[in-house]
Amino acid sequence: MARVTVTVSFDNAAQVLLPPEPGLPYLRTNRAKELTLDPGGITVNNDGVIAATTPSEDADLHVDAIGCALLPGLVDCHTHLPFAGWRAHEYEQKVTGVPYEEIAKAGGGIASSARALRETPDDAVLLQAREIAAEMLQNGTTTFECKSGYGLSREGELRALKLAAELGRNVAQTTTRTALLAHAVPDGYTADTWMDEVEAMIPEASGYATALDIFVESIAFGLEHLDRMGTLAARHNLRLRAHVEQFSTMRSVPVALRHNARSLDHLSAIHPDDIGPLGGSNTAAVLLPGAEFMGKEATAPARDLIDAGAIVVLATDGNPGTSPIFSLPLIIGLGVRRYGLSTKEALLATTLNAAYVLDLAETTGSIEPGKRADLILLDSPSEHVAYRLGRDSVAATFVAGEPVYVRPDAAWRIMKR
Ligand SMILES: [Zn+2]
């Protein structure tokens, strides 16, 4: 964990993203326009906590934010780190028209990543994940979620969770762990018998995770398994999260809402009748435009969800199969274009509301006194993130007030008094 022992003042920013009031656990996306992006600065205490939303002349360190947008560090609440290797060959097959069944029959898909993880030593898995985490830092991500799910056996899932814990100790970001224990039905099991195995491994897995996750889909697990996972989550005091309505309309939403799921992720094929109840609940709608784009999936009805009051979140779904993207600025650009989000809606969806999904909104996700100074400095107005799609606009990333990434051409901005 980064540590500063000096006070820091961020001066003269063209935009500072501030919440409409302090202490919000989340902000429903239909209130995003209440966020402000006015010029200003902030002061960070010598313990890495935000002291004031005004600059301070007496600070030990000054960051010249002239022309910049100062934003909370981005929060990626849905990734599949750590994993082993990539699946670029499959992507080429997919875009050139090879049917998924054929790819799967040749050993591709989740089974391929499970095999790679099994065959790769711990050091190599961690090295790849640390390199990805460093890229994420360059793209402004100061908090991210890790998931298991490529273990596909009791030992494999526990190993993945332990590797995720080890990763968390070796990166600048804050990380969380989700036990995606029902990702695919392993060979030799039915969905039902695998859920028995899941139930048996949760007591041990729960020591490493804050949430349980399940992939509800015609090719994976059904509503009865989601229902069972919800019961298990409550019993073990873990949050329920679920991959739902990605390819098929399964009507998972009512089942998950009964279990007070913390988030429902994907929702590209959500049934229109489920939008209202989801929008009225405290369950976040995590949309994954990278997976939709790379997989040529349907587009989630983001505007309808927002109109219904939903807590909308954007995340990368970073994984070697369906979304090998780890840049939240790129995801913001895709979200703005595909869902018709405003800049404030997209920023809210990748900061405070994403922190809510990970249960971290008390300490990060917005710029307010008392929260950790996880911050990013963009060298452009924040509207340019989506507009100049794919451009690297992150000039510097700060964790607890400490500059953990500074783009070389922005080094002049950080000055001792
Ligand atoms: Zn996922």
Side-chain angles (χ1 to χ4, degrees):
M1 173 56 73
R3 239 174 322 125
V4 284
T5 51
V6 296
T7 54
V8 189
S9 178
F10 292 78
D11 308 327
N12 298 314
Q15 295 180 325
V16 183
L17 185 73
L18 297 178
E21 55 194 272
L24 291 168
Y26 55 77
L27 186 66
R28 293 191 185 275
T29 309
N30 58 15
R31 291 183 60 193
K33 57 178 90 62
E34 296 175 34
L35 294 161
T36 56
L37 274 169
D38 296 329
I42 69 169
T43 304
V44 178
N45 261 335
N46 60 6
D47 57 359
V49 171
I50 296 168
T53 52
T54 48
S56 160
E57 279 191 18
D58 309 329
D60 303 313
L61 197 71
H62 283 263
V63 177
D64 186 343
I66 195 155
C68 292
L70 180 60
L71 309 178
L74 302 178
V75 177
D76 196 347
C77 73
H78 185 144
T79 90
H80 290 258
L81 282 167
F83 54 85
W86 297 96
R87 281 155 45 197
H89 58 290
E90 265 179 43
Y91 183 62
E92 186 167 317
Q93 286 179 308
K94 199 157 66 176
V95 298
T96 54
V98 179
Y100 181 79
E101 295 72 34
E102 203 172 302
I103 297 172
K105 236 179 257 165
I110 292 170
S112 156
S113 289
R115 196 169 51 244
L117 184 63
R118 205 164 51 235
E119 291 169 356
T120 306
D122 289 0
D123 300 4
V125 175
L126 286 169
L127 178 63
Q128 177 175 336
R130 279 208 313 273
E131 286 172 353
I132 293 169
E135 278 175 31
M136 294 167 82
L137 215 52
Q138 294 182 20
N139 286 296
T141 298
T142 52
T143 301
F144 65 86
E145 182 226 30
C146 299
K147 284 189 207 291
S148 67
Y150 295 120
L152 298 188
S153 67
R154 187 195 289 229
E155 314 75 63
E157 289 299 312
L158 288 169
R159 175 179 174 236
L161 289 168
K162 287 175 190 172
L163 286 171
E166 180 66 21
L167 176 66
R169 286 189 285 272
N170 287 287
V171 295
Q173 290 101 331
T174 300
T175 63
T176 67
R177 292 177 297 280
T178 298
L180 172 54
L181 301 180
H183 194 193
V185 181
D187 286 342
Y189 291 89
T190 63
D192 286 326
T193 59
W194 178 249
M195 285 303 295
D196 295 339
E197 192 67 15
V198 166
E199 181 163 350
M201 73 174 91
I202 287 178
E204 196 172 352
S206 66
Y208 296 94
T210 53
L212 293 177
D213 200 340
I214 177 169
F215 181 31
V216 183
E217 187 53 62
S218 52
I219 52 165
F221 295 88
L223 299 187
E224 66 277 29
H225 308 117
L226 172 61
D227 190 43
R228 189 169 172 189
M229 197 66 101
T231 303
L232 290 169
R235 185 184 303 159
H236 293 276
N237 201 21
L238 297 166
R239 299 287 182 197
L240 174 66
R241 302 189 57 187
H243 289 66
V244 300
E245 319 299 285
Q246 180 179 6
F247 305 117
S248 339
T249 303
M250 304 277 291
R251 304 303 302 268
S252 314
V253 175
V255 179
L257 292 184
R258 273 204 300 280
H259 289 284
N260 193 25
R262 175 50 61 113
S263 78
L264 293 176
D265 303 36
H266 284 291
L267 300 169
S268 312
I270 185 174
H271 192 281
D273 291 352
D274 294 337
I275 292 174
L278 178 54
S281 75
N282 292 335
T283 298
V286 178
L287 309 184
L288 306 167
E292 289 178 359
F293 177 72
M294 298 297 280
K296 222 175 168 187
E297 295 169 10
T299 303
R303 284 251 67 93
D304 295 340
L305 284 161
I306 292 169
D307 291 345
I311 305 161
V312 170
V313 176
L314 298 176
T316 62
D317 194 16
N319 77 78
T322 52
S323 184
I325 296 173
F326 288 86
S327 161
L328 279 172
L330 182 58
I331 292 298
I332 287 170
L334 289 173
V336 164
R337 173 65 276 177
R338 289 170 62 95
Y339 301 140
L341 302 185
S342 69
T343 296
K344 285 180 182 176
E345 287 169 341
L347 293 177
L348 174 61
T350 46
T351 56
L352 180 66
N353 285 354
Y356 166 69
V357 172
L358 300 181
D359 246 334
L360 294 174
E362 270 186 32
T363 51
T364 194
S366 58
I367 296 176
E368 54 187 276
K371 283 200 182 183
R372 194 171 56 234
D374 293 350
L375 303 163
I376 60 172
L377 205 59
L378 305 182
D379 66 1
S380 65
S382 53
E383 295 80 4
H384 282 213
V385 173
Y387 167 63
R388 299 176 71 184
L389 183 67
R391 177 178 175 271
D392 171 18
S393 58
V394 178
T397 305
F398 300 82
V399 169
E402 178 160 332
V404 287
Y405 165 72
V406 181
R407 210 177 59 200
D409 67 342
W412 64 272
R413 291 183 179 278
I414 298 172
M415 304 166 298
K416 289 226 163 55
R417 192 158 75 109

